[in-house]
Amino acid sequence: MPRWLPRAMVLALSLVGCYQLAIWGFHQLITLLLNVLIAFFLALAVEPAVDWMAARGMRRGLATGLVFLGILVAAAGFFALLGSMLAGQIATMVEEFPQYLDSVISWINSTLHTHLSRVEVQNNLLRSDWLQKYVQDSANNVLAVSATVLGSLFNLLTVALFSFYFAADGPRLRRALCSVLPPHRQAEVLRAWEIAVAKTGGYLYSRGLMALISGLAHYILLELMGVPYAPALGMWVGLVSQFIPTIGTYLAGALPILIAFTVDPWHALWVFAFVVIYQQFENYLLQPRITAKTVDIHPAVAFGSVVAGTALMGAVGALIAIPATATLQAFLGAYVKRYEVPGDLRVNGRGRRRVAGLLNRARRALRTEPPAAPLQDRTPDAAGSADAAAGADGRGEGREGDR
């Protein structure tokens, strides 16, 4: 046995063990890593506001606390309005459920010629096996639901703490990261950090502005039509349509249409038409003007980044995909050299016109050239002179070839 073989086997087993240990540790810490990533992008989003307050003499810790307090108050107000709306709608549905049930039973009796009664239907529903099984499963899953809620609250607290630290100690954190890098790398890290702050903050503020405009527009429409809970519905449409990528528009418009349908079906139709028209106005006029200087990403690139982020990290990836892509695009644009492209290179553009011009000039040259005389119309002298000229040309070409 060679002497190096035992040592190589021990080294290989050690590498495999380290790899398995790293995989196990990554799977155990994946939740924490995702929370830190979310906190980092949230800190980048609020850092421009914190820097603005700190530049006017306020301490960074206090400025960060005020920004997060504003976010907390806004979120609490939104969920309070939304909860009151849902509670009111649920109470209304419970009160009017007997009327709905009577109308459905009367329609079934008149259509199918049956003799059902509301009491009989209610007793069958209450005594059904699937309802009892559902209630039993819900009672058994109370502990699991409570654990999920507590875990979500713990993750939210983790994100809040890390984002507060990243935003409050941003300069110190950058200095600590750059202290382990050589000087020529420190400038690149700082430049990338500034681009990330600008793009992430610009994305958040542009989306917030568009959410405000969308919420006000839908609130005015719903208030004029007499739809209940117009303020909560306006906030719902503004926030959901702007901060949930791809499907946010459809989720945002479905709830006010449903609430308007309970008032009058024609109101639901008008709300649907307004949602569609406003979406086109936002896509083609409002959004390009607002995001031109903040997050200038092609719609196809934005959609692809959202799909890729969702496939990699789920809902978290969908939320941070667009600012991350904008940051990467701006960073590459600062280092990738671009060249000027001449005017129209398409075949159906100047190239086709140039080809057409060459063909026209060739046709004109062929028309102006005199036609050659037929062989039978030539005179002997002319034929002889032509043959002599041809022979002279042939001899000349032969002599030229010899040279």
Side-chain angles (χ1 to χ4, degrees):
M1 177 185 295
R3 296 181 179 179
W4 55 266
L5 185 57
R7 185 179 301 176
M9 293 176 63
V10 171
L11 180 60
L13 292 176
S14 301
L15 292 176
V16 172
C18 293
Y19 174 76
Q20 295 294 331
L21 182 62
I23 294 296
W24 176 81
F26 178 78
H27 283 291
Q28 295 296 322
L29 298 175
I30 185 65
T31 303
L32 177 62
L33 295 177
L34 287 178
N35 291 335
V36 171
L37 183 63
I38 298 172
F40 178 71
F41 274 95
L42 181 60
L44 292 180
V46 302
E47 190 166 349
V50 175
D51 290 338
W52 183 81
M53 293 182 182
R56 282 154 180 80
M58 187 179 297
R59 292 187 303 168
R60 289 190 65 89
L62 180 59
T64 307
L66 291 177
V67 172
F68 275 88
L69 181 61
I71 296 174
L72 180 61
V73 170
F78 170 71
F79 284 110
L81 288 175
L82 187 63
S84 64
M85 180 192 68
L86 292 178
Q89 289 299 316
I90 291 174
T92 303
M93 291 176 62
V94 170
E95 292 177 358
E96 297 180 354
F97 180 75
Q99 300 178 3
Y100 293 149
L101 187 58
D102 288 338
S103 62
V104 172
I105 290 174
S106 62
W107 179 81
I108 293 175
N109 290 334
S110 61
T111 303
L112 302 178
H113 304 287
T114 57
H115 302 282
L116 298 176
S117 63
R118 188 177 68 184
V119 177
E120 182 181 357
V121 172
Q122 289 178 351
N123 291 331
N124 292 331
L125 288 175
L126 293 176
R127 296 174 181 175
S128 60
D129 295 335
W130 66 269
L131 182 60
Q132 296 178 1
K133 184 178 179 181
Y134 176 76
V135 172
Q136 184 179 1
D137 293 340
S138 300
N140 294 331
N141 292 330
V142 170
L143 183 60
V145 173
S146 302
T148 303
V149 172
L150 291 177
S152 301
L153 292 177
F154 179 76
N155 292 333
L156 183 61
L157 181 61
T158 303
V159 170
L161 289 176
F162 273 105
S163 58
F164 181 86
Y165 166 72
F166 289 151
D169 290 340
R172 188 183 304 174
L173 179 62
R174 287 192 291 269
R175 191 177 298 110
L177 291 176
C178 292
S179 63
V180 298
L181 298 174
H184 65 279
R185 295 294 183 186
Q186 294 178 4
E188 296 181 2
V189 172
L190 294 176
R191 180 179 179 83
W193 193 293
E194 293 176 357
I195 292 175
V197 170
K199 293 301 179 180
T200 307
Y203 170 75
L204 180 64
Y205 299 140
S206 62
R207 288 293 175 178
L209 181 58
M210 288 191 295
L212 179 61
I213 297 173
S214 177
L216 287 176
H218 288 84
Y219 162 72
I220 293 172
L221 173 70
L222 296 173
E223 188 69 27
L224 292 176
M225 297 179 65
V227 178
Y229 307 102
L233 289 175
M235 292 180 62
W236 166 266
V237 173
L239 293 177
V240 174
S241 63
Q242 301 302 325
F243 288 99
I244 296 182
T246 308
I247 63 173
T249 303
Y250 308 103
L251 292 177
L255 185 59
I257 292 172
L258 180 61
I259 301 299
F261 185 82
T262 60
V263 178
D264 189 353
W266 285 105
H267 288 3
L269 182 61
W270 284 111
V271 173
F272 174 76
F274 182 80
V275 168
V276 173
I277 294 173
Y278 181 83
Q279 186 65 31
Q280 302 304 317
F281 165 76
E282 181 183 279
N283 291 337
Y284 292 101
L285 293 178
L286 186 62
Q287 183 174 352
R289 297 177 184 273
I290 293 178
T291 61
K293 297 181 180 180
T294 55
V295 186
D296 189 11
I297 303 179
H298 193 274
V301 177
F303 178 75
S305 64
V306 170
V307 173
T310 305
L312 291 175
M313 293 181 291
V316 176
L319 290 175
I320 67 175
I322 294 179
T325 304
T327 302
L328 181 61
Q329 177 179 335
F331 186 72
L332 292 178
Y335 290 96
V336 176
K337 186 177 180 180
R338 295 181 180 272
Y339 300 92
E340 184 180 359
V341 179
D344 192 359
L345 297 180
R346 297 173 300 173
V347 176
N348 57 354
R350 294 183 179 178
R352 178 176 292 180
R353 289 194 293 270
R354 290 174 181 174
V355 173
L358 292 175
L359 292 177
N360 290 331
R361 286 196 294 269
R363 291 192 189 99
R364 287 195 297 269
L366 291 175
R367 290 195 190 100
T368 55
E369 184 179 353
L375 294 176
Q376 61 269 20
D377 294 339
R378 294 183 183 179
T379 59
D381 296 337
S385 60
D387 294 337
D393 291 339
R395 289 191 301 270
E397 290 177 359
R399 288 193 301 269
E400 188 176 357
D402 295 337
R403 286 195 299 269

